[in-house]
């Protein structure tokens, strides 16, 4: 079992006008395959920047980042897009479904950019929607679905490529308690039963409680990193 | 890749269908541009064909030679007023220029024609028999006069459709009837096929042909026997016309004993010259059409670019999501390019439909001849494609260069 994520002395420095903002300051982090990690921190702590880098949407100014053994810290934008497509699934706070496009087509989207045939795209997207309990709602538009259901479509879209890493950025931030619980249950199941590595950013303690490890970020560095739950299956189930 | 392209086209169509009004207004420029080009080219083409048909009524590969003008104390007469061309000139031309397949000569005057209790003022042409051959003139009934008729100055006449209509009852057979021209009786031996208007707009059917010798001796009262109003020649090949015209000029100058510094006392026109004037006019028209088309396609293209820029801004988050799930630059570029092309092609197709209906309507209402060519439709379609591609490039490029993080955060 190898490390899925290896960050070593990662710096991210922005320049806003004349002011230099150090969002990440020599952060190091290792996450193994199959882990369920919650990342917490106040706003401005650098956790969003970290998520962007972990999600290959952004690149560190300095330092190294290996994802699944691939050095991704200095790849070209198109290579990064390829890596996101192959390795990473995103779940956002505001769902970010494509409007006026059916649940099925939203779930198909990553496969669309893989260049699969339409038939394969359909079949895999249908399967992904089934896994999040949305069978029968394939043709619904986002506006015809509740918040919780929309987020489930987003999870299906993240799952459809069988990613090695699922990044969830405040996935329950826009949901009521009931829907939040359902979403967390789905994420827990995916982690436990399918061994998908999940990194979750959240403010809420009870949401973070689903994770087995809790990392607190402050001022661009790891403030604390502790295991909150023993995970017997995580070390044996590979992806 | 093909699944990608297909789905992108479907998506583009769906987006268009969703914003029908907006898409319609955007396409309007292209629709009007393409439509007007097709309509105008079709009408222009129809007019051009009509003119060509008129020129063709002159005959095949015809050369016309007019005498020069008279000049008395500096006052110049109208063209053909001088009597510098003669029958012997025409006969000599045929003998000395092998390129000429045939020559003919004619003399005309407007005179009263009488039949029974009706009369009509028509153009009387005294011609040599070859005149009708050179002008490719056929008969609806009866037939031409012959060299014998010419030699004997026979009183026979061929009449055009306009003359028939004005002198005879409908259904009455003119062949065999006796008409009187300047009180001289002529037997009608042939009725000519109508030719319609000439390229100059004259009615070519308001005409009576009689043998040249009969005309000059019995009708016109010519003082200078042997002078002709015009001479005609024809060649077998259209390419020979300029060369034949040049040879005619040389022969005539020699026969008229003109010195090097003297001007020609005749004018030579070939069918090609007359055609060129018309072609020049239609070229001007084509250039104007091109200008109109360019402007409207440009305006249409800018409309497309504008709407796509709005669309890129509106859909920034969507672009961010697409990039997050793995869309590469070229995917985003292609998506917006395909949307632009779809927009312009749909506009182009609507324009083609509009253009064709407009053309048909013009024919129906104004009765103008029109020709819708497949070429102009193809070119119009191609143009709308190019416009979409060209004006879609900038917005598409802009979209493809968005930063995914900023795009995802865009409100």
């Amino acid at each position: 079992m190898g490390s899925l994520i290896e960050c070593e002395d990662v710096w991210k420095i922005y320049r806003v006008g004349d002011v230099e903002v150090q969002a990440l300051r020599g952060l190091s982090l290792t996450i193994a395959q199959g882990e369920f990690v919650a990342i917490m921190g106040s706003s401005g702590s650098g956790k969003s920047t970290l998520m962007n880098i972990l999600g290959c949407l952004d690149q560190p100014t300095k330092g190294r980042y290996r994802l699944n053994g691939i050095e991704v810290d200095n790849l070209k934008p198109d290579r990064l897009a390829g890596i996101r497509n192959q390795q990473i699934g995103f779940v956002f706070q505001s769902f970010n479904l494509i409007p006026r496009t059916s649940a099925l087509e939203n779930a198909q989207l990553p496969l669309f950019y893989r260049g699969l045939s339409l038939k394969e795209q359909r079949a895999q997207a249908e399967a992904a929607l089934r896994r999040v309990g949305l069978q029968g709602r394939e043709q619904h538009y986002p506006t015809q679905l509740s918040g919780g259901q929309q987020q489930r479509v987003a999870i299906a879209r993240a799952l459809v490529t069988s990613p090695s890493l699922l990044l969830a950025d405040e996935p329950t931030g826009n949901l009521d308690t009931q829907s939040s619980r359902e979403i967390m249950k789905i994420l827990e199941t995916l982690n436990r039963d399918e061994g998908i590595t999940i990194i979750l950013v959240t403010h809420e303690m009870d949401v973070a409680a689903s994770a087995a490890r809790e990392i607190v970020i402050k001022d661009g560095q790891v403030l604390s990193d502790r295991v909150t739950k023993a995970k017997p299956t995580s070390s044996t189930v590979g992806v | 890749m093909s699944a990608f392209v297909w789905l992108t086209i479907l998506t583009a169509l769906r987006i268009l269908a969703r914003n029908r009004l907006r898409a319609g207004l955007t396409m309007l420029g292209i629709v009007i541009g393409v439509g007007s080009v097709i309509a105008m080219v079709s009408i222009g083409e129809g007019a051009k064909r009509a003119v060509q048909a008129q020129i063709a009524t002159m005959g095949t590969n015809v050369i016309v030679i007019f005498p020069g003008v008279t000049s008395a104390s500096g006052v110049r007469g109208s063209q053909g007023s001088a009597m510098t061309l003669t029958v012997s000139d025409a006969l000599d031309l045929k003998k000395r220029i092998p390129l000429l397949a045939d020559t003919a000569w004619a003399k005309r005057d407007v005179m009263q024609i009488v039949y029974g209790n009706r009369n009509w003022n028509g153009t009387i042409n005294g011609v040599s028999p070859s005149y009708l051959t050179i002008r490719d003139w056929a008969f609806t009934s009866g037939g031409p006069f012959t060299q014998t008729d010419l030699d004997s100055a026979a009183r026979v006449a061929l009449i055009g459709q306009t003359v028939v209509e004005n002198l005879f009852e409908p259904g009455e057979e003119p062949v065999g009837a006796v008409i009187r021209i300047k009180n001289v009786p002529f037997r009608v031996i042939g009725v000519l096929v109508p030719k319609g208007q000439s390229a100059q707009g004259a009615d070519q059917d308001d005409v009576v042909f009689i043998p040249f010798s009969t005309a000059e001796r019995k009708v016109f009262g010519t003082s200078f026997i042997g002078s002709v109003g015009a001479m005609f020649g024809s060649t077998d090949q259209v390419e020979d016309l300029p060369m034949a015209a040049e040879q005619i000029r040389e022969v005539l100058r020699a026969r008229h004993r003109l010195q090097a510094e003297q001007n020609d006392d005749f004018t030579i026109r070939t069918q090609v010259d007359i055609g060129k004037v018309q072609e020049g006019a239609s070229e001007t028209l084509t250039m104007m059409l091109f200008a109109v088309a360019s402007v409207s396609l440009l305006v249409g293209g800018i409309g497309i670019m504008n709407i796509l820029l709005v669309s890129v801004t509106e859909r920034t988050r969507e672009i961010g999501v697409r990039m997050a799930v793995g869309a590469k630059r070229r995917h985003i570029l292609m998506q917006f390019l395909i949307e632009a092309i779809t927009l312009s092609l749909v506009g182009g197709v609507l324009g083609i439909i509009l253009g064709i209906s407009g053309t048909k309507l013009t024919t129906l209402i104004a009765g103008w001849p029109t020709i819708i060519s497949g070429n102009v439709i193809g070119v119009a379609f191609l143009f709308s494609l190019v416009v979409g591609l060209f004006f879609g490039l900038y917005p598409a490029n802009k979209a493809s260069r968005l930063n995914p993080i900023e795009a995802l955060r865009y409100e």
Side-chain angles (χ1 to χ4, degrees):
Chain A
M1 185 202 75
S3 306
L4 179 65
I5 288 172
E6 287 173 81
C7 288
E8 212 182 304
D9 193 26
V10 167
W11 288 74
K12 184 70 192 183
I13 300 161
Y14 297 107
R15 203 169 278 281
V16 183
D18 287 342
V19 189
E20 200 176 71
V21 181
Q22 300 181 327
L24 294 179
R25 302 194 293 175
L27 183 141
S28 296
L29 189 64
T30 306
I31 294 171
Q33 267 176 2
E35 279 198 80
F36 192 155
V37 181
I39 292 180
M40 305 188 72
S42 55
S43 66
S45 62
K47 66 178 193 305
S48 299
T49 307
L50 178 62
M51 285 300 271
N52 287 338
I53 289 175
L54 292 181
C56 294
L57 288 165
D58 204 353
Q59 283 177 308
T61 316
K62 267 195 297 191
R64 327 200 68 178
Y65 170 31
R66 289 162 73 91
L67 172 67
N68 220 357
I70 310 160
E71 299 266 359
V72 291
D73 46 62
N74 48 25
L75 290 180
K76 293 220 158 60
D78 272 3
R79 281 294 309 280
L80 281 181
I83 298 220
R84 290 196 296 271
N85 187 254
Q86 301 291 329
Q87 310 271 354
I88 302 168
F90 289 93
V91 178
F92 303 96
Q93 178 178 0
S94 48
F95 322 138
N96 275 340
L97 297 182
I98 295 183
R100 284 162 284 196
T101 304
S102 71
L104 184 66
E105 283 171 295
N106 265 292
Q108 269 174 248
L109 199 63
L111 300 177
F112 179 58
Y113 293 113
R114 273 196 187 174
L116 290 189
S117 76
L118 195 53
K119 222 170 118 184
E120 274 177 83
Q121 289 181 29
R122 282 253 160 85
Q124 293 188 28
E126 274 168 6
L129 285 172
R130 259 200 308 279
R131 277 160 81 186
V132 297
L134 282 179
Q135 58 270 34
R137 298 193 191 266
E138 289 86 353
Q139 296 310 324
H140 284 51
Y141 289 128
T143 46
Q144 299 170 311
L145 297 169
S146 71
Q149 287 170 330
Q150 288 187 50
Q151 193 62 300
R152 282 196 265 164
V153 174
I155 293 174
R157 181 178 67 195
L159 282 181
V160 78
T161 59
S162 312
S164 39
L165 173 64
L166 200 146
L167 284 176
D169 190 354
E170 308 246 14
T172 58
N174 283 5
L175 297 176
D176 58 65
T177 320
Q178 176 61 31
S179 304
S180 296
R181 226 171 266 147
E182 282 170 18
I183 293 298
M184 290 319 295
K185 204 164 220 158
I186 290 170
L187 292 182
E188 281 170 33
T189 311
L190 288 171
N191 175 252
R192 189 182 59 238
D193 296 350
E194 303 186 30
I196 294 174
T197 310
I198 297 175
I199 299 177
L200 171 77
V201 169
T202 183
H203 284 305
E204 296 161 65
M205 295 305 287
D206 56 333
V207 171
S210 293
R213 180 179 167 193
E214 186 186 286
I215 298 171
V216 180
I217 307 284
K218 198 178 181 211
D219 297 331
Q221 286 170 324
V222 176
L223 181 72
S224 73
D225 184 350
R226 63 197 178 94
V227 175
T228 52
K229 229 189 266 179
K231 288 227 33 191
T233 51
S234 67
S235 56
T236 50
V237 177
V239 177
Chain B
M1 206 58 194
S2 69
F4 171 78
V5 171
W6 267 116
L7 279 175
T8 308
I9 292 171
L10 277 178
T11 310
L13 284 173
R14 204 186 302 156
I15 288 165
L16 293 189
R18 204 184 291 151
N19 301 311
R20 258 186 223 112
L21 181 65
R22 192 162 95 177
L25 291 175
T26 307
M27 290 186 294
L28 210 55
I30 303 271
V31 174
I32 292 175
V34 167
S36 57
V37 168
I38 289 183
M40 293 210 267
V41 169
S42 303
I43 292 166
E45 202 61 31
K48 199 166 140 192
R49 199 68 67 87
V51 167
Q52 281 169 353
Q54 273 179 353
I55 291 169
T57 61
M58 277 182 69
T60 317
N61 311 330
V62 178
I63 302 170
V64 188
I65 309 132
F66 298 106
V69 295
T70 53
S71 179
S73 320
V75 180
R76 305 178 76 194
S78 61
Q79 179 148 55
S81 55
M83 292 183 267
T84 53
L85 294 181
T86 60
V87 174
S88 49
D89 281 335
L91 291 172
D92 202 38
L93 285 177
K94 189 174 180 188
K95 217 180 294 164
R96 294 175 53 176
I97 302 171
L99 272 181
L100 287 176
D102 212 346
T103 57
W105 54 94
K107 196 174 192 121
R108 59 159 62 180
D109 205 347
V110 176
M111 286 192 162
Q112 196 185 46
I113 314 152
V114 180
Y115 174 67
N117 58 355
R118 295 173 175 226
N119 70 82
W120 177 249
N121 267 288
T123 313
I124 313 298
N125 289 265
V127 298
S128 62
S130 47
Y131 177 83
L132 293 159
T133 346
I134 289 176
R135 293 210 55 195
D136 280 340
W137 218 327
F139 296 86
T140 51
S141 59
F145 49 73
T146 59
Q147 187 62 36
T148 323
D149 293 324
L150 186 73
D151 294 342
S152 61
R155 287 182 297 227
V156 289
L158 310 171
I159 59 178
Q161 204 59 45
T162 307
V163 176
V164 172
E165 279 160 23
N166 285 289
L167 285 184
F168 293 88
E169 295 287 343
E172 193 178 351
E173 177 54 62
V175 173
V178 174
I179 58 174
R180 302 177 83 85
I181 302 167
K182 215 180 170 189
N183 232 2
V184 180
F186 282 84
R187 191 164 46 85
V188 176
I189 60 166
V191 175
L192 297 157
V193 163
K195 274 189 187 254
Q197 279 190 358
S198 72
Q200 287 78 29
D203 180 3
Q204 300 185 85
D205 300 319
D206 184 8
V207 76
V208 175
F209 291 115
I210 55 178
F212 186 83
S213 48
T214 322
E216 71 177 349
R217 284 177 219 163
K218 294 176 180 160
V219 182
F220 294 163
T222 317
S223 52
F224 179 19
I225 294 289
S227 77
V228 301
M231 295 196 308
F232 303 84
S234 70
T235 58
D236 289 329
Q237 303 296 324
V238 69
E239 298 79 35
D240 293 338
L241 282 176
M243 173 72 100
E246 192 47 43
Q247 290 177 356
I248 289 169
R249 185 166 168 267
E250 278 164 24
V251 170
L252 287 179
R253 281 187 71 88
R255 281 182 58 85
H256 296 181
R257 295 195 177 82
L258 294 176
Q259 302 300 313
E261 74 280 2
Q262 279 179 291
N263 290 330
D264 294 345
D265 58 358
F266 51 87
T267 313
I268 303 173
R269 290 266 179 279
T270 68
Q271 207 169 9
V272 175
D273 299 333
I274 295 162
K276 266 186 195 146
V277 175
Q278 305 290 349
E279 269 168 34
S282 71
E283 249 163 49
T284 312
L285 190 73
T286 309
M287 290 304 288
M288 272 174 58
L289 284 179
F290 186 73
V292 169
S294 309
V295 169
S296 43
L297 287 176
L298 183 77
V299 171
I302 290 170
I304 285 181
M305 180 150 86
N306 181 38
I307 218 69
L308 275 171
L309 284 173
V310 171
S311 178
V312 168
T313 308
E314 274 181 357
R315 287 155 66 196
T316 300
R317 274 180 90 99
E318 177 191 323
I319 295 165
V321 173
R322 288 178 183 274
M323 286 175 160
V325 303
K328 297 188 164 95
R329 266 202 63 198
R330 63 181 153 88
H331 290 129
I332 303 292
L333 192 79
M334 286 271 282
Q335 182 183 349
F336 280 91
L337 267 189
I338 287 174
E339 273 177 38
I341 291 169
T342 308
L343 206 60
S344 64
L345 280 191
V346 171
V349 169
L350 290 179
I352 289 169
I353 294 169
L354 182 80
I356 293 175
S357 347
T359 306
K360 299 259 185 235
L361 217 62
T362 308
T363 310
L364 209 68
I365 293 173
W368 294 354
T370 53
I371 292 161
I372 300 168
S373 78
N375 275 354
V376 68
I377 291 174
V379 167
F381 195 75
L382 207 71
F383 255 102
S384 41
L385 187 114
V386 168
V387 164
L389 196 69
F390 182 78
F391 288 96
L393 214 51
Y394 174 67
N397 188 47
K398 199 180 162 190
S400 76
R401 286 182 185 280
L402 285 176
N403 177 333
I405 300 167
E406 281 163 26
L408 277 169
R409 219 182 283 147
Y410 186 85
E411 289 299 326

